[in-house]
Amino acid sequence: MKRVFYLASVAALIGFSACNQAEKNPEEPAISTDVINIPSDEDNEEAAKQLAAFEFENIVYEFGEITQGEKVQTTFKFTNSGESDLIISDAKGSCGCTVPIYPKNPIAPGETGEIEVVFDSEGKMGQQNKTVTLIANTKPNTTVLALKGNVLTPETK
């Protein structure tokens, strides 16, 4: 009984320590959260107007019908229509098949940027609705982009 308890404790300790280790890419620049100041609801409206803001040409990309295994690539273009530098701190796809590439440097007011997204349909079939969630110094601080379409299974001979 002691042996089982000891092994379970060691396994739990290893599992918890592995969960706390975040993977870091040394090539990616670290963005300090000190530069992000999002006013709370109690702050005045003037402070909220000074935030960065996304203005996308489109937030939904409809790729139509593709055959299973094809990759779809699109670019979401945006302008920082706010009054301060726009900093995107993270961009995550709804699954591993949807991979976003986003600018790591601040986007000045009036400047443009692009979010490139690649959807890999390998192993997918039917109607697909995939999303990319951006986290930035905007209000609200999350923006969701979408890819929609239909994946057809290849015909077998």
Side-chain angles (χ1 to χ4, degrees), residues 53-57 77-82 86 107 109-113:
F54 281 118
E55 189 175 310
F56 279 93
E57 291 178 4
K77 296 180 181 184
F78 65 89
T79 301
N80 176 2
S81 60
L86 174 62
I107 308 294
E111 296 293 316
T112 60

Side-chain angles (χ1 to χ4, degrees), residues 127-139:
Q127 197 65 31
Q128 300 294 310
N129 295 304
K130 303 299 179 187
T131 61
V132 171
T133 302
L134 306 173
I135 300 174
N137 61 332
T138 58
K139 193 164 185 173

Side-chain angles (χ1 to χ4, degrees), residues 115-130:
I115 310 291
E116 183 179 311
V117 181
V118 177
F119 166 66
D120 186 355
S121 67
E122 185 67 37
K124 307 289 183 209
M125 65 179 157
Q127 197 65 31
Q128 300 294 310
N129 295 304
K130 303 299 179 187

Side-chain angles (χ1 to χ4, degrees), residues 12-24:
L13 181 62
I14 291 170
F16 288 131
S17 66
C19 290
N20 288 333
Q21 295 178 359
E23 292 183 27
K24 294 285 183 186

Side-chain angles (χ1 to χ4, degrees), residues 65-70 121-126 150-157:
E65 291 185 341
I66 61 171
T67 303
Q68 187 179 53
E70 287 184 53
S121 67
E122 185 67 37
K124 307 289 183 209
M125 65 179 157
N150 192 24
V151 178
L152 306 173
T153 54
E155 293 184 27
T156 56
K157 295 182 180 181

